[in-house]
Structures are given as C-alpha cells and as structure tokens.
Amino acid sequence: MTDNFPQAIYHFQLDAAVIFSQPFGAGHINQTSLIVTESAREYILQKINQAVFRDPPAVMKNIRLVTDHLRQQSPDRPREVLTIVPSIAGQDWYKDEAGDFWRVYEFVSDSICLQQPRDDQDFYNSGWAFGHFQKQLAKFDAALLSETIPYFHDTPCRYMALHQALQADRQGRAAQVGPELDFALSREAGAGLLQQLQAQGTLPLKVTHNDTKLNNVLLDRWTRNALCVIDLDTVMPGLLVHDFGDSIRFGASTAAEDERDLTQVTLSLARYQTYLQGFSTGCAEGMSAEERYYLRDGARLMTLECGVRFLTDYLNGDVYFHTSRPGQNLDRCRTQFKLVRELEAHWSELEQLAAR
Ligand code: ADP
Ligand code: GN1
Ligand code: MG
C-alpha cells in the first residue's frame, strides 16, 4: 500500500511509523520535508539537489566527518550538532530507483529558524554560532574534505559564468537586464581581491561553512541563544571573511532577499556591528588582524557575488535556485546590488567598526 508520504522515508531507521509529512523551510537548494512519527518524534527528510551537488555520497561523507568532529567537542549537548539518521542499509544516504539521493536528520527539538532577525540579539547570536563553528573546526584536517562545489566562492569564476549565460541568452532575457549587467560589469575589475589575498598568503584557507545565511543556523525556541549550525553541504576550505560576508548580505539588510521595493533595502549599520561582535566573540582568538581588516571586503564581495549568481540564474532560466514566482531571481539580484551600493556608501565607517 502506498500513501502520500515521500516513499524514500521508509528506507531510514526512524523510531516509529510515519504519520505526517509536509514541505518545510525556505532553503533555495534541496527539497526538504518535515516528517513526524507516531511517537511525536520529528525528522527532516531531504532530497539532495544533484544539479548542484554532483557527488552526494561525497557531500554526506564530509557531513559525517564534520559532525563527528563537532560531537566530540560537545558530547553531552546533542541538540548542538546535526545528527544524521542512517538508512535501513546502514548508510548516511539512500539512493532510490530514479537515482535520487535522500538523507534524514533528526529535527533539532525546540529550535527556531529565522528569515530575518527579530532584534539585534538574534543576529548577535547567529554571528556567535558561525564564529564558534569556525573555531570548533580550527584543528580539523581540511585535506579530509571533498570540495563539494569547486570554485564556490571564487568571484571571478562566477563572473565567467555570467558572461557565458549572457552569451548563450537561452531564455532571451539579456535585453531585460541592462542596468543590472552594467552594475555587475562596473565592479568586475576588483572582484578577485580575496583570491589574490589568499594566493599571497594574507588570508589563510580554513575550514569554513560557506553558506552562513541566518536560516542556516537554529536558535533555541525559548532562550533564542544559538543552538545548531545546519546546512553543512558546503563545508570546505574557504576564507573566514566569506563566512562573515555571507551573513551580512542576508541578515544586515533591512529587507528580504527578494524584496521588490528597493527603497526598503538598506544596510543596517547596527546589525553589521552586532554581527561583527557576535562573530568575533565566537571565533575568539581565531581571527587575525588581516582577516579583521578585510571583513568589509568579504561583506561587499559576497554580496556582489551572490547578485551575480542570481543574475546568471535568471539568464539561464532559473535552473539553480528554487523560485516561487517569475522574476524572483532578478529581484534577488537587485537587492544584492542595492546592498553593494549601501556597503560602498558606508565604506570608511565599516573600517572603523572593525578597528574598534
Ligand atoms: P537548503 O540547502 O535547501 O537551504 P537546508 O539544509 O538549509 O537546505 O534546510 C532547509 C531548512 O530546513 C532550514 O532552513 C531549516 O529551516 C530546516 N532544517 C534543516 N535541517 C534541520 C534540522 N536538523 N532541524 C530543524 N530544522 C532543520
Ligand atoms: C543558497 O541552500 P541555501 O538556500 O541555504 C546557496 C548559497 C546562496 C544562497 C542565497 C549550495 O543557500 O550559496 O548564498 O542560496 N547555496 C548553494 O540565498 O548554492
Ligand atoms: Mg539552507
């Protein structure tokens, strides 16, 4: 007998029979469902997006290694580390007949996931969580990790993809994006700064999260303290300033990532400062003076890069990021470019904040 639940769930070692399932969360990449069993235990079932992650077993191996390492550091606090639920066959994933890869995590109990911070404290706590995450991984051997998405935060490579999309113009949309394209091209020359700083040894490669959006950290429902860093698909060698910057582009904006009214989209300096404090405290002594100095470049370039990626996906026909309405990727691109302008307008203030 079949039911309406995703059938892949029957291939995992749950504690009891499934009684409920529904699509869940606001992630742009994987297909996520909440699953509830008759003992009222909750799980997260995900179909891994194979257009994005070409080698799902390698992704899961990274996550297994990283979560094992994190758990060793806080063995008595299970809610603070993502827990993989094994398949019936004892693996960290299940591959169905169609070739799709699925995984299950325990739902982190009494947690909340935010699309925008309610107040400064929420954002401070998320910054602390991502800073602490880097600190906890400081001694992890990066050579053990597969690069799940090559050149993920290589901004010049993202520009190459934009040029290719423009050239191909598969959807005939290039004519609609003149101002956005002009903006992107006007910033292309300096887009490789972080790669240069890495190559010359000023910024060291570390094990970083690489996708530090506010909705990739869970807070405790009651205390609102940082609880658990999730979405570990892109944990790879990267730069500390990437992780700082990606959080800023999402959480220090005064509007949603896909806001259409750009007058609503501004940079909150208070939020920037609060995140900086939380992140620095979480990293503890793990942030060098050079990394601190280039935090604002991380914020600017991660925002620019994300705008370029949204624009590229719009030109390609919305094939990478999930969308729920036409034009959403172009709207997302516009908010990112507005935020780049905002960051540039406050450039010297951002340096002063970091110097404090
Ligand atoms: P995506 O890669 O598509 O962003 P995520 O792994 O970030 O997928 O999951 C999407 C959403 O599902 C998260 O933003 C969060 O709301 C929720 N989520 C994922 N894992 C858990 C978990 N273990 N416990 C509670 N909620 C979770
Ligand atoms: C995606 O998976 P999610 O929704 O947490 C993307 C990030 C982007 C972000 C933009 C693997 O993050 O790189 O910054 O959307 N993840 C991947 O919101 O590409
Ligand atoms: Mg996510």
Side-chain angles (χ1 to χ4, degrees):
M1 197 183 74
T2 55
D3 49 45
N4 288 331
F5 305 136
Q7 296 298 297
I9 196 62
Y10 296 112
H11 296 269
F12 288 90
Q13 299 182 29
L14 308 188
D15 72 308
V18 176
I19 55 165
F20 178 82
S21 136
Q22 73 175 22
F24 192 77
H28 291 345
I29 302 296
N30 297 303
Q31 184 184 307
T32 303
S33 300
L34 170 69
I35 302 286
V36 185
T37 64
E38 58 185 15
S39 62
R41 282 270 290 269
E42 294 171 310
Y43 297 91
I44 288 286
L45 169 70
Q46 288 184 320
K47 182 163 94 179
I48 301 175
N49 184 332
Q50 273 189 85
V52 171
F53 298 105
R54 303 287 169 165
D55 187 354
V59 171
M60 293 314 294
K61 187 167 175 227
N62 280 4
I63 297 177
R64 165 60 62 188
L65 291 168
V66 166
T67 54
D68 282 352
H69 179 89
L70 296 174
R71 201 166 285 105
Q72 274 166 19
Q73 295 181 45
S74 46
D76 49 346
R77 296 195 295 274
R79 289 165 74 223
E80 295 181 13
V81 184
L82 208 49
T83 302
I84 304 170
V85 175
S87 72
I88 301 286
Q91 285 179 306
D92 288 338
W93 71 90
Y94 162 70
K95 184 180 180 187
D96 68 18
E97 302 80 47
D100 288 323
F101 282 85
W102 301 78
R103 67 179 167 212
V104 172
Y105 294 120
E106 287 184 10
F107 190 96
V108 178
S109 58
D110 286 321
S111 64
I112 51 170
C113 177
L114 305 175
Q115 305 312 320
Q116 276 189 323
R118 184 181 68 180
D119 51 32
D120 283 358
Q121 190 63 40
D122 278 351
F123 202 38
Y124 177 96
N125 291 344
S126 72
W128 184 88
F130 285 121
H132 185 64
F133 182 83
Q134 283 206 3
K135 185 178 164 213
Q136 285 185 303
L137 289 171
K139 295 207 168 74
F140 185 89
D141 179 5
L144 298 174
L145 294 176
S146 303
E147 209 175 1
T148 56
I149 305 180
Y151 304 103
F152 191 54
H153 287 317
D154 187 321
T155 313
C157 278
R158 298 297 188 173
Y159 266 97
M160 273 164 54
L162 173 62
H163 287 293
Q164 281 164 8
L166 197 59
Q167 190 84 34
D169 194 17
R170 268 183 249 158
Q171 304 289 319
R173 292 177 173 174
Q176 302 161 25
V177 301
E180 291 74 24
L181 201 59
D182 287 348
F183 184 88
L185 297 181
S186 70
R187 268 75 177 168
E188 186 171 7
L193 174 70
L194 299 177
Q195 282 66 41
Q196 286 153 19
L197 291 168
Q198 181 201 317
Q200 71 197 40
T202 309
L203 297 178
L205 268 186
K206 296 184 163 174
V207 177
T208 50
H209 184 280
N210 294 305
D211 191 358
T212 54
K213 273 202 285 199
L214 182 63
N215 62 17
N216 286 331
V217 60
L218 304 177
L219 305 186
D220 183 284
R221 173 178 297 281
W222 309 113
T223 63
R224 297 182 86 89
N225 287 334
L227 190 54
C228 182
V229 171
I230 61 168
D231 202 346
L232 306 180
D233 297 336
T234 52
V235 175
M236 293 182 280
L239 301 179
L240 175 145
V241 300
H242 289 150
D243 276 5
F244 175 81
D246 201 23
S247 295
I248 294 299
R249 69 149 199 96
F250 190 83
S253 169
T254 52
E257 191 184 60
D258 63 349
E259 174 60 56
R260 276 180 275 202
D261 176 1
L262 291 181
T263 63
Q264 303 293 316
V265 183
T266 59
L267 172 75
S268 163
L269 277 178
R271 289 275 150 88
Y272 188 103
Q273 181 173 15
T274 232
Y275 190 90
L276 175 62
Q277 287 166 349
F279 188 78
S280 314
T281 309
C283 288
E285 61 289 349
M287 193 192 303
S288 70
E290 287 81 9
E291 286 171 325
R292 177 170 276 275
Y293 179 78
Y294 287 107
L295 288 175
R296 62 180 178 164
D297 293 281
R300 182 178 166 279
L301 286 165
M302 287 299 294
T303 311
L304 179 65
E305 177 186 287
C306 209
V308 166
R309 292 174 64 196
F310 287 139
L311 182 57
T312 304
D313 198 33
Y314 180 70
L315 291 171
N316 285 337
D318 310 309
V319 291
Y320 186 96
F321 298 104
H322 291 330
T323 52
S324 55
R325 58 177 164 79
Q328 195 173 18
N329 271 320
L330 185 56
D331 294 333
R332 289 170 176 157
C333 158
R334 289 176 174 149
T335 64
Q336 301 309 292
F337 289 171
K338 171 81 191 283
L339 282 171
V340 172
R341 285 189 203 279
E342 288 275 304
L343 286 156
E344 290 170 351
H346 293 290
W347 203 236
S348 51
E349 288 156 85
L350 301 183
E351 187 188 358
Q352 284 156 21
L353 288 181
R356 264 186 219 162

